[in-house]
Amino acid sequence: MTEYITTIGLEVHAQARTASKMFDACSADYAGGEPNTRTSVVSLGLPGALPVVNRRAIEMAALSGLALNCSINLQSIFARKSYIYPDLPKGYQITQYDQPLCSNGWIEIRADDGSMKRIGIERLHIEEDTGRLVHMPDGSSLIDYNRSGVPLMEIVSEPDIASPEEARRYFQKLRQILMWIGVNNGDMEHGELRCDANVSVRPRGQHEYGVKVEIKNMNSFRAVERALAYEVQRQIQALEAGATIVQETRGWNETLGVTVGQRSKEFAHDYRYFPEPDIPPLVLDADWVAARQAELPELPDARRARFEAEYSLSLQDAELLTIERSVADYYEAAVAAAQAVNGSAKDVANWITGELFRLLNDSGEPPGCMTVRMPPAHIAEVLALLARGTITRTIAKQVFEESFQSGQAPSQIVAARGLTQISDADTLATLAREIIAANPKPVAEYRNGKTSAIQFLVGQMMKATKGQANPQTARAVLEGELNAS
Amino acid sequence: MALTRAAVEHVARLARLQLPASELERMREQLSAILDYMTMLQEVDVAGVPPTAQVTGLSSVMRPDEMQPTLSQAQALQNAPDHAEGMFRVKAVFEDESTG
């Protein structure tokens, strides 16, 4: 059978979360009010209204461009894209065309073979989002212009993506970076972050790309991967059957799990881009770019590598602890607190990736809640209680969970509930004698040479003390009692 | 520069103009004449003149990211030919119709 090569490029739209809109001063919080309560003469496209560029949106776009290793173009201009559809009332969208703000970037993702691979980014430009249409049963449409004019970054990848899995990983990485630098909340469900794809296949050995098909309406990472996997198979099957691929736009139907051709248009879009006469060119200088560079935090990949080197973490732990910036910040705050009481960075990592992630997962809370639920100082306290021998490991887990649930400091929980470790040999010896008397079977096994039977008896000791017995002392005391009598 | 009839039909379509066949030929002639007139600009020597998108001489006009009070829903809708549920109401819109 012929082997096929898949080629995918993604076009991602990400809102820049400014307070006001891209070209006018009304609120960009489009979901936070009744329909058409976030509009002005500019976002309603009324005659004579003058759009004025939001400085912060440009800064955020440049910040994003730098985080994606793009060059920032010191001169860029806005363009009108003719577009007659009521979700934008002007009859055109203000965007950037031949002179985008950022170009020629890349990000690194894990390829299917496990190696690291660069995916090129052709450009990142800024434009305005559209309003929301509600199609009514009677055939009319209702329009809410709250979202019209919200700043939007369009990020176009090179066709460097070789599989649906890589496409998902690229999109996830992009989301991680945009959220990390604070320009986007990553909310796909509400369309703050959206993704379209161009996909083609060609037989191995064929030099030129196959005919590309555009896929829309993929609203989750899973949808991106599923839609592209479906589309790749559809194209291969068509070629195998001797059919040709038609250049078209297809929509992903999540319920049916198929891509469906959208109505073919007699006329291709005729956008007739031309320079936006109302907005003077953006002319930036090296100092301005340097200021954006200085604003950029340490990025996820760099921080992950530093965590591995500085705190001796495994790649897997370092990745988990850099999944979001709030998690990485939390980890480092907890490490600082723990190191003050001689706790290790590795132990802190284990408590977070083990217990804390599990508890958050159970309560359904996002990682951003960590600091409130379990202040970094509380993790350090648990480590200190353990290091001093005040509590056992079993009790530590219990205290950790209680502290997470109640917000109470771990040392207070230990004091209030009398959870201090029992290391007193006399107390434990009395208990050991009771347990030996109550469990003749394992005692006999032990005495007949099956020394591992003592494990059961140690377990009984721990159970009787609700986990407070020092396991080493308990074992030593049991051995003493068993061998003495 | 003689425009083809197809080009005139295309431009009419983009402008949402329904031209009767009788007017198409007249439009074709007039538009061609206008383009011929503009062709004079081609004679200007622009070697060494950088392309520009602006004649204002301004650059980087920006405003701080601050909110100002905006229109109320009633103000936004006051000139709308039709509205419902606080939204502008328009006839059915499909992309096919938008280009034709």
Side-chain angles (χ1 to χ4, degrees):
Chain A
M1 209 189 103
T2 322
E3 202 189 329
Y4 288 88
I5 298 171
T6 299
T7 304
I8 299 170
L10 290 193
E11 200 176 288
V12 170
H13 284 92
Q15 287 172 359
R17 297 307 277 138
T18 49
S20 65
K21 287 188 179 178
M22 184 64 223
F23 299 114
D24 67 276
C26 51
S27 168
D29 178 23
Y30 58 94
E34 291 296 304
N36 296 303
T37 54
R38 304 283 186 270
T39 68
S40 69
V41 291
V42 173
S43 50
L44 288 181
L46 298 185
L50 186 71
V52 184
V53 170
N54 182 334
R55 180 181 290 119
R56 190 58 198 151
I58 299 297
E59 290 172 355
M60 283 183 166
L63 208 55
S64 306
L66 290 171
L68 305 176
N69 304 295
C70 291
S71 350
I72 306 299
N73 300 314
L74 296 183
Q75 165 144 343
S76 71
I77 62 167
F78 288 91
R80 287 188 183 179
K81 178 182 181 179
S82 307
Y83 162 90
I84 310 238
Y85 197 66
D87 59 3
L88 272 181
K90 298 190 295 297
Y92 58 85
Q93 179 186 35
I94 304 179
T95 178
Q96 294 191 297
Y97 184 52
D98 54 346
Q99 294 182 37
L101 183 63
C102 315
S103 46
N104 297 322
W106 53 268
I107 57 174
E108 216 170 37
I109 63 160
R110 201 166 291 282
D112 290 338
D113 64 7
S115 64
M116 295 311 283
K117 172 180 179 179
R118 272 189 190 187
I119 305 294
I121 290 169
E122 186 198 315
R123 59 190 277 143
L124 180 154
H125 73 244
I126 195 114
E127 59 187 30
E128 56 180 335
D129 209 342
T130 61
R132 183 175 64 98
L133 287 188
V134 183
H135 299 293
M136 302 303 283
D138 68 356
S140 69
S141 294
L142 302 182
I143 315 162
D144 169 15
Y145 285 120
N146 281 355
R147 200 181 64 179
S148 165
V150 165
L152 198 60
M153 298 181 287
E154 180 174 313
I155 304 164
V156 183
S157 87
E158 299 286 357
D160 292 344
I161 300 166
S163 73
E165 296 77 23
E166 280 187 20
R168 173 179 50 74
R169 274 181 236 127
Y170 164 83
F171 189 24
Q172 281 174 324
K173 187 68 170 277
L174 207 53
R175 177 175 182 266
Q176 180 195 26
I177 293 171
L178 295 176
M179 289 175 70
W180 190 280
I181 62 173
V183 301
N184 183 276
N185 294 330
D187 185 342
M188 280 180 271
E189 203 182 330
H190 297 102
E192 253 188 59
L193 189 65
R194 320 194 273 271
C195 171
D196 301 328
N198 282 305
V199 53
S200 68
V201 300
R202 67 181 196 273
R204 184 171 289 282
Q206 179 182 314
H207 183 66
E208 63 275 20
Y209 291 128
V211 175
K212 69 177 180 188
V213 171
E214 187 180 14
I215 310 295
K216 289 184 172 287
N217 197 32
M218 301 174 289
N219 299 327
S220 66
F221 293 129
R222 198 174 113 85
V224 168
E225 190 172 335
R226 283 180 71 209
L228 292 174
Y230 173 86
E231 181 60 21
V232 166
Q233 281 313 308
R234 187 191 71 84
Q235 293 186 14
I236 290 173
Q237 279 168 17
L239 292 176
E240 289 281 307
T244 50
I245 306 295
V246 186
Q247 180 163 0
E248 62 175 340
T249 299
R250 298 176 70 87
W252 170 242
N253 184 316
E254 180 79 32
T255 318
L256 300 177
V258 296
T259 61
V260 182
Q262 299 187 334
R263 277 193 287 176
S264 63
K265 277 163 277 222
E266 193 184 337
F267 282 78
H269 280 294
D270 192 346
Y271 292 134
R272 290 158 290 145
Y273 287 97
F274 66 94
E276 165 59 80
D278 284 345
I279 303 178
L282 274 181
V283 181
L284 308 168
D285 59 31
D287 286 347
W288 187 91
V289 176
R292 302 288 78 71
Q293 192 77 56
E295 203 186 320
L296 211 57
E298 185 184 24
L299 292 169
D301 283 352
R303 202 153 181 192
R304 191 205 64 228
R306 182 166 65 77
F307 279 11
E308 285 180 76
E310 193 174 330
Y311 304 125
S312 310
L313 300 185
S314 66
L315 170 67
Q316 197 199 1
D317 278 352
E319 266 182 356
L320 280 171
L321 291 169
T322 51
I323 195 108
E324 269 186 34
R325 191 170 163 193
S326 67
V327 175
D329 288 346
Y330 177 87
Y331 173 62
E332 293 212 276
V335 166
Q339 282 173 343
V341 293
N342 293 321
S344 85
K346 181 82 188 137
D347 283 342
V348 173
N350 289 340
W351 279 102
I352 296 175
T353 58
E355 289 305 294
L356 193 50
F357 279 177
R358 179 182 66 79
L359 291 166
L360 282 170
N361 194 42
D362 288 351
S363 66
E365 286 164 297
C369 296
M370 278 183 172
T371 308
V372 181
R373 281 299 211 149
M374 192 80 193
H378 286 182
I379 288 205
E381 241 179 62
V382 172
L383 289 181
L385 288 165
L386 263 174
R388 283 200 298 268
T390 311
I391 55 174
T392 64
R393 196 147 267 287
T394 317
I395 293 293
K397 281 196 176 185
Q398 198 182 316
V399 169
F400 191 98
E401 178 156 357
E402 283 194 33
S403 176
F404 175 88
Q405 304 294 1
S406 68
Q408 247 193 315
S411 54
Q412 283 175 344
I413 294 172
V414 170
R417 306 245 338 262
L419 296 172
T420 305
Q421 171 162 274
I422 304 166
S423 300
D424 174 47
D426 286 345
T427 315
L428 291 178
T430 311
L431 185 61
R433 283 193 290 274
E434 287 170 27
I435 286 180
I436 287 169
N439 295 281
K441 194 160 168 271
V443 169
E445 282 173 7
Y446 177 84
R447 285 180 175 149
N448 289 333
K450 195 185 167 202
T451 48
S452 63
I454 199 168
Q455 270 316 112
F456 175 81
L457 300 171
V458 173
Q460 292 304 107
M461 293 276 284
M462 297 306 291
K463 196 174 161 193
T465 56
K466 297 194 176 67
Q468 284 172 258
N470 177 320
Q472 282 79 36
T473 315
R475 190 187 178 96
V477 167
L478 268 170
E479 279 171 351
E481 292 294 326
L482 284 165
N483 295 332
S485 46
Chain B
M1 171 175 181
L3 284 171
T4 63
R5 201 175 162 105
V8 178
E9 282 173 347
H10 179 61
V11 172
R13 201 177 176 108
L14 289 173
R16 273 54 181 175
L17 291 176
Q18 286 192 332
L19 291 181
S22 57
E23 281 214 44
L24 274 176
E25 182 54 27
R26 196 162 63 91
M27 285 295 165
R28 194 190 67 78
E29 282 165 16
Q30 290 185 355
L31 280 171
S32 298
I34 292 169
L35 286 175
D36 282 340
Y37 181 69
M38 298 306 284
T39 308
M40 281 201 294
L41 286 173
Q42 305 282 12
E43 291 164 21
V44 182
D45 181 9
V46 291
V49 180
T52 182
Q54 276 276 322
V55 292
T56 58
L58 298 170
S59 68
S60 304
V61 176
M62 294 192 263
R63 64 179 175 83
D65 182 26
E66 285 162 9
M67 285 187 284
Q68 305 278 335
T70 53
L71 301 178
S72 67
Q73 191 186 68
Q75 285 173 319
L77 294 170
Q78 70 180 343
N79 296 318
D82 193 7
H83 59 87
E85 299 172 35
M87 291 187 266
F88 293 82
R89 185 163 182 271
V90 295
K91 283 188 283 187
V93 277
F94 294 105
E95 268 209 279
D96 280 357
E97 292 174 8
S98 76
T99 49

